[in-house]
Amino acid sequence: MENNETIIQTIEEYCINKPGVYESRPFGKYPICYRVMGKIFAQFIPEEKFYKITLKCEPDRAYLYRELYPEIIVRGYHCPPVQQPYWNTINLDAFFDMEMLFHMIDEAYDAVISKFSKKAKAQLSVLSELEFKNTDGEDPDFAILCNHLDGSLDEIVGKKFQRSQYDQYNRRDNIHDVIVAYQKGKPVACGAFKMFDEDHAELKRIYTEPSIRNMGLGLEMIRRLEAKAKIKGYRWCILETGRPLEAACHVYKKAGYEIIPNYGPYVDMPNSICMKRKI
């Protein structure tokens, strides 16, 4: 399969256009990993001297493809031995059937979501209907959602003057990496991060409209922000939340965040909880 911009773009678009899929690069520039609800189903390396794709696969199907395409399709080359039966690596320099490749990508995606719980599949159904846009702090839809977030915090925490000490750390003009989620063209969720230092991205302004809560969108937003931060070279994500916000703490803990001593501007703020996760 020819290694050129058109073919590479076709493969990338086919992977990213699967329902609920987003891109991540957890190991550096390559491979480009495609995830659904945090789980990798495809790892694509479009380099000229190492033109390969590694796909999730049920063991019996994986074995069949290796038999059909000896030396072209092999056990996952980079995977630990215990995982290799569940992955196939395809040498795209020697593989020329694009239709078959798309079929194997479909199977890789299905192999991942077939293991999801009934609840996770229901959440994926909702997430698949959403459109996610990368933008910045000046985006008007992000501004609308931030206003909704502040109104919600006023109800939970109290009057605005009780939260005014935090305003300086949430200024939208200091936030350059934002994701906004849309449902039928309407903004329903957002999340952002900003640079804390060279190694740490600070998550900010994560919010979901009440009409679409409890469907895993908050966790999905965190996953996508982490993937974007990792691509930009950060090694850790940190965040601050308030002690009264138990629901938020639960979501962050579910995403793998641990409570740490209050950092930076929050050191002397007893109502703050700070958390951290390596990405």
Side-chain angles (χ1 to χ4, degrees):
M1 190 172 295
E2 190 173 353
N3 183 298
N4 62 45
E5 186 175 342
T6 299
I7 297 296
I8 289 170
Q9 185 176 353
T10 299
I11 295 171
E12 291 177 337
E13 288 180 352
Y14 194 82
C15 290
I16 201 70
N17 286 330
K18 305 290 288 181
V21 170
Y22 62 96
E23 175 188 320
S24 70
R25 304 197 185 202
F27 310 113
K29 183 179 180 180
Y30 297 124
I32 305 169
C33 295
Y34 295 95
R35 297 178 183 262
V36 53
M37 295 184 71
K39 302 299 184 182
I40 297 173
F41 69 92
Q43 303 178 58
F44 182 38
I45 303 177
E47 290 184 303
E48 187 172 347
K49 295 182 179 179
F50 203 77
Y51 185 36
K52 302 180 187 297
I53 189 167
T54 298
L55 299 172
K56 188 79 170 177
C57 197
E58 297 295 348
D60 57 340
R61 298 291 294 176
Y63 178 78
L64 173 63
Y65 289 131
R66 293 178 210 134
E67 290 289 298
L68 290 173
Y69 303 96
E71 298 184 9
I72 297 174
I73 299 180
V74 300
R75 291 159 66 100
Y77 75 93
H78 62 287
C79 303
V82 70
Q83 294 183 14
Q84 287 182 356
Y86 302 91
W87 293 89
N88 272 347
T89 295
I90 304 160
N91 178 3
L92 295 176
D93 282 318
F95 192 83
F96 304 103
D97 190 338
M98 181 68 83
E99 185 176 346
M100 178 59 77
L101 178 62
F102 287 165
H103 178 72
M104 287 190 286
I105 292 172
D106 291 342
E107 289 186 336
Y109 178 86
D110 291 342
V112 168
I113 66 174
S114 68
K115 301 298 190 297
F116 287 173
S117 66
K118 184 180 294 186
K119 179 179 179 181
K121 289 177 180 176
Q123 291 175 339
L124 176 59
S125 178
V126 173
L127 294 175
S128 299
E129 297 175 354
L130 303 180
E131 177 188 354
F132 292 84
K133 180 179 76 173
N134 290 307
T135 183
D136 58 35
E138 299 302 315
D139 188 285
D141 291 331
F142 179 55
I144 290 171
L145 292 168
C146 285
N147 287 335
H148 292 178
L149 169 60
D150 289 334
S152 178
L153 291 173
D154 285 341
E155 294 180 8
I156 297 172
V157 180
K159 301 293 185 181
K160 183 170 177 57
F161 73 86
Q162 293 177 277
R163 300 189 301 101
S164 60
Q165 58 186 326
Y166 296 91
D167 289 347
Q168 60 183 310
Y169 309 122
N170 293 320
R171 289 170 54 93
R172 287 188 294 106
D173 57 356
N174 290 332
I175 298 175
H176 305 293
D177 292 279
V178 174
I179 300 176
V180 176
Y182 295 83
Q183 185 181 52
K184 297 180 180 179
K186 179 183 177 182
V188 294
C190 65
F193 65 83
K194 67 179 184 179
M195 179 180 182
F196 182 77
D197 59 31
E198 289 187 359
D199 287 333
H200 296 79
E202 184 178 18
L203 301 189
K204 307 293 292 184
R205 311 265 78 189
I206 297 175
Y207 173 73
T208 302
E209 292 278 37
S211 62
I212 200 169
R213 286 179 189 166
N214 301 316
M215 291 306 299
L217 184 50
L219 185 58
E220 179 73 2
M221 188 64 70
I222 293 169
R223 293 189 193 107
R224 289 175 179 251
L225 289 168
E226 289 176 344
K228 190 176 181 183
K230 183 71 173 180
I231 290 171
K232 290 205 163 191
Y234 294 104
R235 297 175 57 240
W236 299 84
C237 278
I238 56 176
L239 61 90
E240 180 275 338
T241 188
R243 292 192 179 277
L245 304 176
E246 294 182 6
C249 282
H250 175 73
V251 172
Y252 296 134
K253 288 180 179 178
K254 187 175 180 180
Y257 285 77
E258 298 180 350
I259 295 175
I260 58 173
N262 285 9
Y263 60 82
Y266 309 110
V267 168
D268 296 321
M269 294 184 179
N271 288 324
S272 288
I273 295 175
C274 292
M275 308 182 81
K276 182 177 182 178
R277 180 177 185 268
K278 189 171 184 179
I279 57 175

